[in-house]
Amino acid sequence: MRKTTLQKARTFEQRYHPHLSLSEQPRFHVTGGVGWINDPNGFSFYRGEYHLFYQYNPYDTKWGPMHWGHVTTTDFVHWKRLPCALAPDESYDKDGCFSGSALELPDGRQLLMYTGVRNVRRSNGVVDGYQTQCLAVGDGVDYQKFENNPVLDAKDLPEGGSAIDFRDPKIWYEDGKYWAVVGNRSADKSGSILLFESDDAFHWKFSSVLASCHNQFGKMWECPDFFALDGKHVLLVSPQNMTSMGLEFHPGNNTLCIIGRYDREKRHLLRDNTQSIDYGTDFYATQTLQTPDGRRIMIAWMQSWESSGCKVAELPFFGQMTLPRELGIRDGRLIQNPVHELEACRKTKVSYQNVMIVDETNLQGVSGRFLDMTVRVRAGNTNHMYRYFKINVAKDGERVTMIRHKPENNTIRVDRSRSGFPHDIVNVRDFPIAAKDELKLRIIMDRYSLEIFVNDGEQAASFVIYAPITADSISFSADGAAIIDVEKYDIEV
Ligand code: FRU
């Protein structure tokens, strides 16, 4: 019999989901519909569909008892809501079903691996959340928790590993075995990524320390993902408590991509290169899947923990996912571009070539808030590069979100101070880009978001915005002359 905690969440969804107002939801970015969401979980291909689960509190627009919400898609653009998949209803996960992942078992069932949290109050009143790794098995809609949960706990940790910071298993199958990477806090008080192995996906043992932070990139490393890509191996993690490092990493929660070589003997990742994954204000907790046609697709929570108390009061939901992105490696760096499936939703092409921009300019037909727009910009004067080039989007008399290129120091600044937030949060982000004669920006906008892809995916930057949907004007300006080409489509789903 289904547990009452899960049934309660499903009944709640049945009451609210049929009445969601489409004019309040993003068109092609996932939300919980109602309630709060954070990390993507269980992003995987199963029985002809892509499944996405997520950290979910159905009852409130703030973080709370963590359930797993559930949606599916066949194209990463149109999403179907499924009933809540997991609820915190066992002694080992009574304080939350935290992040995890999914895969298909040989017998055709879907396996979920997640972190169960159990709070224990110390005599001095401090509460410790003990974290263990747990399993659930199902048919793509209904899941049964495994009778021998948890399958990994404190006794499986290497010397000095914390039983309180031990979470977010990402599972995969390779070379006849199941593998999982899990985030852990090690004796030096910073993150390490532990590798575990299993012959049958139900009995697990410690394998190796795949990578360690050594207090270099923040503290605890959350939400690891590890995979081969374009001849290299990639580890994605979300570090907490970073201090800034130039323009590459900002203070607080970040995302880190380590590109390197996998030493299969020692089961250890040798680092070649490290970088930020996304340079915007709102991006955390990545997860990837591999499509049947071999693409590695990444999704993330398009939000920052630091501004997660800052919401627009009247909306019934809080938190959204990024647009899924196709990954690659070019010149030793991570490349990310919107899934190509989005192109099938492009409508009403408007294009311009060789437009000279000096003063603020509007181009007829170039406006809107649900769009996919590519702008190429180069110097308007052969002897002088412009000092600044700006694109203003989501603009009306009061609101504007500004994207500014400054060639002098090869940076892009995005300023969302006037993007409709009723809170004084981090609104300006500068990030470094490669110096080139021509800059190419692809801008994807949905009702509450702006995602920018620079130079065919060399950088990505994600921002939540809350300007009213009527703020849909777009303008271009330059200090010094710039020449632009624009190709703009509306996105209709
Ligand atoms: C990351 C995270 C995970 C954890 C989950 C809890 O955003 O802190 O480490 O599993 O959120 O909701």
Side-chain angles (χ1 to χ4, degrees):
M1 209 177 67
R2 191 165 295 138
K3 291 278 171 46
T4 50
T5 321
L6 182 64
Q7 194 50 53
K8 185 175 157 220
R10 288 182 166 197
T11 306
F12 184 84
E13 289 175 330
Q14 278 160 10
R15 177 149 16 112
Y16 287 99
H17 282 175
H19 308 294
L20 293 179
S21 159
L22 286 183
S23 66
E24 284 180 337
Q25 300 284 328
R27 269 194 194 164
F28 51 100
H29 287 78
V30 173
T31 73
V34 289
W36 157 285
I37 69 169
N38 56 288
D39 316 355
N41 296 155
F43 192 36
S44 57
F45 185 73
Y46 178 66
R47 291 193 185 161
E49 287 181 312
Y50 301 105
H51 286 246
L52 175 69
F53 304 81
Y54 42 80
Q55 290 288 279
Y56 176 45
N57 176 14
Y59 308 113
D60 203 339
T61 52
K62 53 181 198 274
W63 192 86
M66 278 295 108
H67 296 58
W68 276 34
H70 192 186
V71 288
T72 55
T73 183
T74 52
D75 64 1
F76 302 112
V77 178
H78 300 86
W79 299 88
K80 189 168 88 195
R81 290 193 187 285
L82 268 70
C84 180
L86 294 179
D89 53 12
E90 294 285 350
S91 56
Y92 53 77
D93 66 14
K94 68 180 176 54
D95 295 299
C97 298
F98 275 20
S99 285
S101 51
L103 58 63
E104 181 172 351
L105 291 167
D107 63 10
R109 294 177 302 161
Q110 190 179 32
L111 180 77
L112 311 182
M113 190 174 196
Y114 69 98
T115 299
V117 181
R118 185 176 53 89
N119 287 344
V120 177
R121 189 176 291 276
R122 291 191 226 156
S123 53
N124 64 4
V126 173
V127 174
D128 293 322
Y130 283 91
Q131 304 185 342
T132 57
Q133 312 320 314
C134 304
L135 302 175
V137 175
D139 60 0
V141 180
D142 296 311
Y143 300 86
Q144 288 291 328
K145 290 180 184 168
F146 181 44
E147 66 267 24
N148 294 333
N149 275 343
V151 294
L152 286 169
D153 63 17
K155 69 175 170 351
D156 302 298
L157 291 168
E159 177 92 38
S162 160
I164 288 163
D165 282 311
F166 177 36
R167 58 182 174 272
D168 311 335
K170 175 73 200 287
I171 186 173
W172 76 98
Y173 180 77
E174 188 179 337
D175 295 338
K177 262 187 196 269
Y178 294 90
W179 304 91
V181 280
V182 187
N184 186 223
R185 189 187 291 264
S186 50
D188 71 3
K189 305 253 180 290
S190 73
S192 55
I193 299 306
L194 307 181
L195 182 67
F196 294 89
E197 60 181 277
S198 168
D199 291 326
D200 60 1
F202 292 92
H203 300 86
W204 288 86
K205 65 174 190 206
F206 174 75
S207 186
S208 69
V209 178
L210 181 75
S212 300
C213 172
H214 299 307
N215 285 295
Q216 195 188 356
F217 295 99
K219 292 290 179 183
M220 173 63 186
W221 280 359
E222 302 188 306
C223 303
D225 198 346
F226 183 59
F227 49 88
L229 186 68
D230 294 344
K232 297 276 186 183
H233 266 82
V234 175
L235 175 66
L236 307 180
V237 292
S238 295
Q240 294 180 309
N241 309 108
M242 274 186 77
T243 49
S244 60
M245 290 164 73
L247 293 181
E248 191 64 28
F249 296 99
H250 55 81
N253 290 57
N254 268 260
T255 51
L256 168 68
C257 169
I258 302 175
I259 298 178
R261 286 153 293 135
Y262 183 34
D263 179 338
R264 286 179 188 273
E265 290 270 287
K266 298 198 176 102
R267 295 186 182 149
H268 186 72
L269 178 66
L270 305 161
R271 279 184 206 177
D272 290 339
N273 196 6
T274 52
Q275 64 171 97
S276 218
I277 305 176
D278 186 284
Y279 296 82
T281 48
D282 297 286
F283 189 88
Y284 198 65
T286 56
Q287 194 163 96
T288 70
L289 60 69
Q290 194 158 27
T291 58
D293 65 5
R295 291 174 293 154
R296 178 62 62 172
I297 309 289
M298 177 180 74
I299 194 166
W301 186 38
M302 187 156 51
Q303 183 55 50
S304 108
W305 275 112
E306 276 83 358
S307 62
S308 63
C310 303
K311 49 199 73 158
V312 175
E314 55 275 16
L315 290 178
F317 70 88
F318 184 78
Q320 42 181 337
M321 298 297 167
T322 63
L323 183 66
R325 302 168 182 182
E326 296 179 14
L327 300 184
I329 294 180
R330 198 161 65 224
D331 301 329
R333 283 185 58 91
L334 188 72
I335 299 297
Q336 36 190 320
N337 282 297
V339 280
H340 66 60
E341 284 86 344
L342 183 69
E343 287 158 35
C345 303
R346 286 169 158 182
K347 299 277 146 54
T348 343
K349 175 174 175 179
V350 178
S351 70
Y352 288 86
Q353 269 83 45
N354 293 314
V355 183
M356 178 71 88
I357 302 291
V358 182
D359 299 325
E360 185 155 1
T361 307
N362 294 91
L363 298 174
Q364 198 183 357
V366 179
S367 64
R369 280 290 293 278
F370 302 97
L371 54 84
D372 180 351
M373 175 169 80
T374 298
V375 179
R376 294 167 187 269
V377 53
R378 49 201 174 268
N381 180 324
T382 35
N383 301 322
H384 301 290
M385 193 50 169
Y386 50 82
R387 273 177 28 84
Y388 296 110
F389 167 71
K390 286 185 197 167
I391 308 176
N392 293 313
V393 297
K395 187 170 180 291
D396 61 10
E398 267 170 62
R399 263 73 49 140
V400 64
T401 303
M402 186 201 75
I403 305 160
R404 186 197 75 183
H405 178 218
K406 186 177 179 188
E408 186 191 319
N409 61 0
N410 298 312
T411 55
I412 290 191
R413 164 170 294 188
V414 176
D415 185 341
R416 61 161 186 187
S417 329
R418 290 162 67 199
S419 305
F421 267 98
H423 301 277
D424 189 18
I425 55 176
V426 173
N427 283 318
V428 179
R429 192 72 95 205
D430 289 292
F431 59 93
I433 59 164
K436 295 207 169 130
D437 290 342
E438 184 181 82
L439 169 68
K440 183 174 173 191
L441 297 175
R442 184 163 170 201
I443 295 169
I444 311 284
M445 293 183 74
D446 198 347
R447 193 180 300 277
Y448 309 111
S449 61
L450 165 68
E451 288 165 279
I452 305 171
F453 297 86
V454 182
N455 292 330
D456 297 306
E458 284 176 7
Q459 258 99 8
S462 307
F463 300 85
V464 172
I465 60 169
Y466 283 121
I469 206 68
T470 46
D472 63 354
S473 165
I474 295 177
S475 69
F476 305 90
S477 63
D479 179 347
I483 289 180
I484 63 170
D485 307 328
V486 180
E487 188 173 301
K488 187 229 120 185
Y489 302 84
D490 294 322
I491 294 292
E492 285 175 25
V493 298

